[in-house]
Amino acid sequence: MSKQNAVYPSLAGKSVFITGGAAGIGEVMVERFCQQQAKVTFIDTAVEKGLKLCEKLKKQYSCAPHFIECDIRNVEALQNSIADAGQRQGDIGVLINNAADDTRHSFEDMSSDYWDDRFAVNLKPCFFSTQAIVPQMIRLGGGSIINLGSVSWRKKQTCMPAYTTAKAAIEGLSRTLAAENGKHNIRVNTLIPGWVMTERQMTHWLDPEIVKEVQQEQCIHATLYPDDIVNAALFLASDDSKMMTAQSIVVDAGWT
């Protein structure tokens, strides 16, 4: 992590809810929001990692995060987690729909059930978390919702058609939710990472030749890391971006 991170005074004391916060980009989001002195609740199915992250950050920051085990495919459990977070740390002013699953799957063998499951993980929670959190943001007088998209569909990537379709839909969903809730001073944007070197990417999909090819296609021939995405998320969550909504912000070093 950079030792000279930007500080956003408007995030101090703010109630933040992050999905998929136990690993990868989400893990770095949790830490960086704690660094901003925000009150953070995050959910994940990776219980051991989630608890370990809380223990680690409790020793480093005055405002330790709170972890809730939750499978985002269970809409009732997701909404209950949001209600619990609001009661515990005050009405939520920042929602980050980060959780996703980019497990590769084939066009030829796709079943209807698997298609529905991919949407239940990668798209559906973005709507129902927003629906649950908007009343809290209205009480606050506004808020920021950040949905994580993907460059995969823009690159016409194969090997995971349900995932790329769901991620493409997130941009449309963000724009319509922005229009729906702008009257409440609630902003909704899509944050789109390029190929970020998370632990999952390195253990599951890393291929040196592909990495080299991707970097050559980027305008900036360098590796993207979670901090690069989180830097943009902090800005979008803060009051510094108070007039930005219904936008798709791409952080991919110029790959697309």
Side-chain angles (χ1 to χ4, degrees), residues 1 7 10 23 25 32 50 57 60 66 71 79 91 101 159 167 175 188 197 205 212 216 230 235 248 254-255:
M1 186 187 301
V7 175
S10 62
I25 295 172
R32 295 284 302 279
L57 299 183
Q60 297 181 30
H66 177 63
D71 185 336
Q79 294 177 329
D91 286 336
D101 186 347
C159 303
K167 284 297 187 179
R175 287 176 62 79
V188 188
M197 287 300 106
W205 325 122
K212 184 177 180 181
Q216 287 303 310
V230 179
F235 172 68
S248 295
W255 187 25

Side-chain angles (χ1 to χ4, degrees), residues 7-241:
V7 175
Y8 295 97
S10 62
L11 293 179
K14 185 154 286 188
S15 181
V16 178
F17 190 89
I18 301 171
T19 69
I25 295 172
E27 177 183 358
V28 178
M29 282 187 178
V30 170
E31 179 166 4
R32 295 284 302 279
F33 273 95
C34 287
Q35 188 182 61
Q36 298 285 335
Q37 300 181 50
K39 295 177 289 185
V40 180
T41 291
F42 69 100
I43 61 173
D44 210 300
T45 55
V47 177
E48 186 177 346
K49 287 185 176 181
L51 294 174
K52 186 176 179 181
L53 179 60
C54 284
E55 284 300 309
K56 170 192 168 186
L57 299 183
K58 184 166 64 174
K59 298 173 183 176
Q60 297 181 30
Y61 302 105
S62 58
C63 197
H66 177 63
F67 169 65
I68 301 174
E69 179 186 2
C70 179
D71 185 336
I72 59 173
R73 290 174 293 189
N74 184 332
V75 171
E76 184 178 2
L78 173 61
Q79 294 177 329
N80 287 341
S81 297
I82 289 168
D84 178 69
Q87 291 172 0
R88 177 183 294 272
Q89 63 193 32
D91 286 336
I92 297 165
V94 176
L95 166 65
I96 303 180
N97 283 306
N98 165 73
D101 186 347
D102 63 349
T103 299
R104 281 24 177 188
H105 49 272
S106 71
F107 162 76
E108 293 83 4
D109 299 328
M110 177 74 66
S111 69
S112 176
D113 287 344
Y114 191 77
W115 175 274
D116 290 344
D117 184 71
R118 296 301 83 192
F119 273 62
V121 172
N122 295 304
L123 177 62
K124 189 175 178 181
C126 293
F127 176 85
F128 285 100
S129 61
T130 299
Q131 184 188 62
I133 227 159
V134 158
Q136 297 188 34
M137 291 185 171
I138 290 175
R139 288 195 292 267
L140 288 172
S144 175
I145 298 170
I146 303 168
N147 295 320
L148 270 287
S150 172
V151 297
S152 58
W153 72 270
R154 294 175 176 228
K155 296 295 293 181
K156 300 181 288 293
Q157 190 169 336
T158 58
C159 303
M160 46 180 181
Y163 173 83
T164 55
T165 304
K167 284 297 187 179
I170 282 177
E171 294 190 49
L173 176 63
S174 294
R175 287 176 62 79
T176 193
L177 291 176
E180 183 77 29
N181 294 290
K183 59 183 177 287
H184 302 303
N185 197 33
I186 296 171
R187 301 180 291 111
V188 188
N189 291 292
T190 306
L191 176 56
I192 304 171
W195 193 13
V196 181
M197 287 300 106
T198 62
E199 180 183 355
R200 176 176 171 83
Q201 294 300 318
M202 289 187 287
T203 57
H204 286 68
W205 325 122
L206 189 64
D207 180 320
E209 289 303 313
I210 296 178
V211 171
K212 184 177 180 181
E213 179 182 332
V214 169
Q215 289 191 1
Q216 287 303 310
E217 291 181 5
Q218 294 173 181
C219 297
I220 299 172
H221 308 309
T223 300
L224 282 160
Y225 291 101
D227 272 314
D228 298 314
I229 311 307
V230 179
N231 287 337
L234 291 169
F235 172 68
L236 290 173
S238 74
D239 291 350
D240 294 66
S241 60

